[in-house]
Amino acid sequence: MGEMSFSGGVYQSLPARAYCDEGIFTQERDLIFKRAWQLVGHATDIPNFGDYVVEDISGVSVIVIRGQDGKVRAFYNVCVHRGHELLNGKGCTKKMTCPYHAWTYDTTGQLRAAPNATAFPGFDKSQYKLRPVLVEMFFGLILVNLDPEARPMADLAQSALSEISDYAPNLASYKRADRTERLAQANWKVVAENFNECYHCAVVHKTLTSGVVDPDQYRTRGFDYGIRHASPARPDSQKSYSYVADPEARTDKFLTWWFFPLFALQVYPGGIVNTYRWKPLGVNRTKIEVDWWLPASEPNDVEREIILQHRTTTFAEDGPIVDSVQRGLESGALGYGALVVDDACSSQSEHPIMAFNEHYQRAMGDTAL
């Protein structure tokens, strides 16, 4: 597919019911979420043998665990005996023992023990293993996919890899330093569209557009993997936090790679990295998690400055916007919205929503709206 292109004009959004219909949301769970790479965390979250975290991946409980060989694996959190869940939360364990009948698995998912096993004729422990989930390390980020036939993330995001390597070269060794989160009362598509278009930025995000990015040079473009955002940093006289913009060190840009449908990687000027993760919990409920990945688990003064600025401006400002849009879509007053696109595909244009819609329609296939 490569880079997407769009001609200037006025286009139609998805129908309002696409954001409000429970049946459509159920279809999305099966056709999109359960076939997508989703962000769990970072390799430094589970640094030691036996470290694990249990995550809800679109309604499915998944264990991510580091084995004795150092390899990170993922499994359905389901005992293959009778289906009881094995673990919850996070922790460290050398073995996974089911609380129901004490069937015990090692960190590769192989059954190692079961009570009274020697008394069961024909019982062969080697035939019982936890069902695996695809897992991939992406610049140190842990991604999982419930589709065993999924295209590898490194292949899907090929066109972004060199730029991520240049602008987040040490991400694989970074640590979780802070989190901002919110439960949006909005459909995940409303949240994704708002995240990716900057037509609203000058109206809503005055700190971002005056002190972080240059609206005249801010550009968004659709790609195979999703949508790329890029802007040069503001000059020293205008910047809203105390970063050093050094072209040689590649700390002089704002960059975002949004990976359809549910996570994004951002680099703020100064080389400060965060990820967004969206969790669709219902047709009009979406959990948003922003994690900051930094060289140390305790932010320095500059890092703390942008984390606080983001939390209290850009992130906070988007909250009531998406909730209000959802209420409007549910009102029945709007059949379709208008998408306005200029020929330059500038920041004052809604072509990113056109790109989102292309990804969405392709993923939904024959059920597309």
Side-chain angles (χ1 to χ4, degrees):
M1 181 169 60
E3 183 176 342
M4 299 180 187
S5 61
F6 300 97
S7 300
V10 181
Y11 300 88
Q12 237 178 21
S13 72
L14 295 173
R17 66 184 180 86
Y19 306 87
C20 311
D21 187 275
E22 291 280 1
I24 292 172
F25 181 76
T26 299
Q27 290 179 320
E28 291 169 346
R29 181 182 288 136
D30 292 335
L31 297 175
I32 299 179
F33 310 150
K34 291 185 178 180
R35 296 180 178 179
W37 288 103
Q38 298 197 40
L39 177 64
V40 170
H42 193 282
T44 52
D45 288 337
I46 50 171
N48 304 309
F49 161 51
D51 286 350
Y52 70 87
V53 60
V54 176
E55 281 283 348
D56 181 286
I57 304 297
S58 300
V60 175
S61 184
V62 172
I63 299 166
V64 179
I65 190 166
R66 188 178 292 277
Q68 193 164 8
D69 56 1
K71 184 177 179 180
V72 174
R73 296 178 176 85
F75 304 101
Y76 284 86
N77 187 19
V78 176
C79 178
V80 299
H81 173 216
R82 297 274 297 282
H84 198 285
E85 293 171 327
L86 296 166
L87 299 172
N88 58 72
K90 58 184 177 180
C92 184
T93 185
K94 294 181 180 179
K95 57 188 179 181
M96 295 174 276
T97 301
C98 180
Y100 194 9
H101 298 97
W103 281 34
T104 299
Y105 305 85
D106 65 22
T107 57
T108 72
Q110 181 61 57
L111 181 66
R112 292 302 179 191
N116 204 31
T118 58
F120 305 138
F123 183 75
D124 181 357
K125 291 195 299 290
S126 69
Q127 299 303 305
Y128 296 91
K129 191 169 184 176
L130 299 182
R131 183 177 171 187
V133 172
L134 279 187
V135 63
E136 190 168 322
M137 307 306 296
F138 186 72
F139 296 95
L141 300 174
I142 303 172
L143 308 179
V144 299
N145 197 315
L146 298 176
D147 178 6
E149 304 300 321
R151 184 179 172 191
M153 185 65 187
D155 180 27
L156 184 68
Q158 182 64 41
S159 59
L161 299 184
S162 63
E163 190 174 47
I164 296 173
S165 295
D166 287 343
Y167 283 88
N170 301 310
L171 177 55
S173 63
Y174 279 6
K175 298 174 177 62
R176 184 191 300 271
D178 211 310
R179 169 174 284 190
T180 303
E181 59 184 36
R182 179 178 183 269
L183 179 60
Q185 302 298 321
N187 184 268
W188 70 278
K189 297 186 295 299
V190 171
V191 177
E193 291 171 358
N194 175 76
F195 179 83
N196 280 299
E197 59 94 344
C198 211
Y199 188 32
H200 73 285
C201 289
V203 180
V204 179
H205 300 314
K206 299 190 184 302
T207 299
L208 179 73
T209 51
S210 63
V212 182
V213 303
D214 181 348
D216 294 333
Q217 299 185 68
Y218 192 102
R219 292 293 181 267
T220 52
R221 295 292 183 268
F223 286 90
D224 294 23
Y225 58 82
I227 298 171
R228 173 187 181 268
H229 303 224
S231 171
R234 281 306 210 182
D236 287 351
S237 60
Q238 293 178 263
K239 64 189 183 184
S240 59
Y241 63 102
S242 311
Y243 61 86
V244 176
D246 181 357
E248 292 294 319
R250 306 291 180 96
T251 61
D252 61 329
K253 286 186 179 180
F254 173 90
L255 290 162
T256 300
W257 303 270
W258 174 78
F259 299 103
F260 179 84
L262 297 175
F263 86 97
L265 171 63
Q266 288 193 318
V267 179
Y268 267 71
I272 301 167
V273 179
N274 74 37
T275 54
Y276 269 74
R277 179 186 180 191
W278 294 273
K279 297 179 179 178
L281 303 180
V283 68
N284 57 6
R285 291 187 306 125
T286 306
K287 181 77 175 295
I288 309 167
E289 298 173 349
V290 181
D291 287 304
W292 296 85
W293 307 100
L294 304 174
S297 55
E298 187 66 29
N300 63 32
D301 289 345
V302 176
E303 293 161 349
R304 198 181 308 281
E305 195 177 359
I306 184 54
I307 291 169
L308 179 62
Q309 177 183 297
H310 172 268
R311 178 179 292 138
T312 56
T313 60
T314 309
F315 188 83
E317 290 155 358
D318 277 330
I321 296 293
V322 297
D323 292 1
S324 177
V325 169
Q326 184 68 30
R327 291 193 296 271
L329 292 168
E330 291 177 351
S331 72
L334 191 69
Y336 291 82
L339 301 178
V340 289
V341 177
D342 62 35
D343 284 324
C345 287
S346 73
S347 65
Q348 295 286 295
S349 171
E350 293 178 313
H351 60 282
I353 300 181
M354 302 283 286
F356 171 85
N357 287 349
E358 281 204 19
H359 278 284
Y360 179 78
Q361 299 279 8
R362 185 177 296 109
M364 291 290 280
D366 292 339
T367 64
L369 301 164

